[in-house]
Amino acid sequence: MATQDGGAARLMRLFDGHRLTPTQRRIAHCLVRRAADAPFLSSVEVAELAGVSQPSVTRFAVALGFDGYPALRRHLREVAPVPQAERSDSRNEYQQAVEDEIENLRQLRALLADPEPVARAGRLLAASRPLLVLGLRAAGAQARGFGYFAAKVHPDVRVLDEGGSALADRIDAARRAGASALLCFALPRHPREVVDALEYAKQAGLTVVTVADSSFAPVARDTDLLLPAAVGTGLVFDTPCAPMMLGRVLLEAMCDDLPDAQARLEEFDARAAARGLFVD
């Protein structure tokens, strides 16, 4: 398992620091998501998986400093020797989708071996009064879920889960009220409104923390601290188990920097018991 854990992380370190075009970021994202297979894929297979042309894959390899794709593939076999994923012929598509999500969680576990980025994010979120949480369309559920729990320990959480012209107004209002940070959940397909909102938030002086499906997502440009967590793509609709888990980890990190978090939770539990809010 250790080699599978490290494969995606090694690939991300290889790609980080390079100025990649949107097409090249798409290829990088594809390789990270297929970390177990990446050292064995041909340029034609990568092009087909990423939905790009074969010459684009060659240009991607050159952008990373290699003579061509064969040189990149040799390098991947040397530095990220991950055995091809074992897939049982007896698995049906639903079981395989679950297996893919398990692999996404393994990749997240490997990335969390360095806790500092999450700890830094927790400090930024805890210090913001109010705290903005943005998530549109597919990411709306992630933003609302985070906001629901965060409101139990943070004094002022404002969830932005609807687009439109009022979105900038709400960012302005929060900034005037003292907000210093915005947490964004960004999942594919990435709405243009989210990209525009993050650009506006940065211009307004907010520090942006983003949970995205990849370090190469379109929101990376206007993000100060990006935390990647892959989504599953084996079913008709993507499955965001890893982003949800990362959101809970961020809640934990934020609680660590809110000295009154435990007191707030105990107060909530007392009120809930008095109201008979829960049946268990």
Side-chain angles (χ1 to χ4, degrees):
M1 296 299 180
T3 55
Q4 289 187 353
D5 283 350
R10 290 192 198 94
L11 285 174
M12 292 179 69
R13 286 195 295 271
L14 173 64
F15 302 148
D16 281 346
H18 294 278
R19 295 181 62 87
L20 302 177
T21 67
T23 296
Q24 290 166 352
R25 289 198 300 270
R26 192 170 175 180
I27 297 168
H29 185 195
C30 173
L31 290 175
V32 169
R33 289 170 63 179
R34 299 293 297 268
D37 302 321
F40 308 97
L41 296 172
S42 69
S43 60
V44 174
E45 290 171 324
V46 173
E48 183 176 335
L49 289 169
V52 302
S53 68
Q54 191 274 340
S56 293
V57 177
T58 300
R59 288 192 291 270
F60 168 73
V62 172
L64 295 178
F66 296 94
D67 293 336
Y69 182 77
L72 170 59
R73 187 168 63 173
R74 284 195 300 272
H75 180 75
L76 294 181
R77 290 177 177 177
E78 293 170 359
V79 302
V82 182
Q84 287 181 291
E86 296 180 3
R87 293 177 178 245
S88 171
D89 292 337
S90 63
R91 278 188 201 142
N92 61 43
E93 61 180 310
Y94 310 129
Q95 291 176 304
Q96 189 56 56
V98 173
E99 188 66 28
D100 291 343
E101 280 291 23
I102 292 171
E103 179 59 28
N104 288 339
L105 289 170
R106 288 193 184 110
Q107 293 179 16
L108 177 60
R109 181 180 66 185
L111 290 172
L112 291 175
D114 178 8
E116 178 50 34
V118 168
R120 179 187 166 204
R123 291 190 293 270
L124 291 169
L125 303 182
S128 185
R129 302 284 197 284
L131 170 61
L132 288 173
V133 183
L134 171 66
L136 301 183
R137 294 186 180 268
Q142 305 299 321
R144 289 189 293 273
F146 184 95
Y148 171 78
F149 290 111
K152 298 186 185 308
V153 294
H154 192 288
D156 190 353
V157 179
R158 305 184 187 184
V159 176
L160 308 177
D161 59 355
E162 293 184 2
S165 60
L167 188 56
D169 295 340
R170 296 182 66 188
I171 292 174
D172 285 338
R175 189 72 179 104
R176 286 195 300 270
S180 58
L182 178 149
L183 171 63
C184 174
F185 287 89
L187 302 177
R189 300 172 64 186
H190 295 278
R192 184 175 299 279
E193 279 185 302
V194 171
V195 177
D196 294 341
L198 293 191
E199 182 179 8
Y200 190 85
K202 286 285 293 177
Q203 291 173 352
L206 292 172
T207 299
V208 175
V209 177
T210 299
V211 172
D213 58 303
S214 165
S215 296
F216 314 102
V219 294
R221 184 192 64 184
D222 293 301
T223 294
D224 296 289
L225 177 56
L226 191 146
L227 303 170
V231 301
T233 59
L235 302 176
V236 173
F237 299 106
D238 291 346
T239 48
C241 296
M244 182 183 72
M245 183 66 200
L246 183 51
R248 297 300 187 268
V249 170
L250 280 173
L251 280 167
E252 185 80 9
M254 187 178 74
C255 286
D256 290 342
D257 274 273
L258 289 169
D260 56 348
Q262 187 59 40
R264 285 178 177 273
L265 286 174
E266 292 173 358
E267 181 184 353
F268 171 79
D269 284 342
R271 291 199 308 269
R275 295 164 54 194
L277 190 59
F278 302 111
V279 296
D280 55 347

